[in-house]
Amino acid sequence: MNIKNIVVAASLLAAAGAAMAEAPYPPETPFHSTQTRADVKAELQRAQANHEIVSRNEYPFIRQAPSQLSRQDIEKQVQQANGASQNLYTGA
């Protein structure tokens, strides 16, 4: 009797899992466009002409301000910063 109940419960669980696997979540709704391909291309060209969007090959160029320091000045600053951080760890 006990084995019969286990078999029935297992078959019910399998049936429930199979039923749930058939329904996609979230439900898929088909997309229907109201514009033609030519309309979309024209809208894209208009937006690019008005600089509303950037095309793939146009990246914004950010110019870095020229530095007034020499390489030796930068190296001195790095050495001073490293020495200061070492003093923090050693307690000197």
Side-chain angles (χ1 to χ4, degrees), residues 14-58:
M20 292 178 75
E22 292 177 14
Y25 183 81
E28 296 176 9
T29 55
F31 176 75
H32 298 287
S33 178
T34 58
Q35 293 181 324
T36 65
R37 184 178 180 90
D39 293 339
V40 172
K41 283 187 172 183
E43 186 177 349
L44 174 64
Q45 288 175 351
R46 181 198 54 80
Q48 286 175 340
N50 292 339
H51 301 290
E52 295 172 7
I53 59 173
V54 179
S55 71
R56 292 183 198 168
N57 297 330
E58 296 175 9

Side-chain angles (χ1 to χ4, degrees), residues 4 6 90:
K4 185 178 181 181
I6 292 173
T90 59

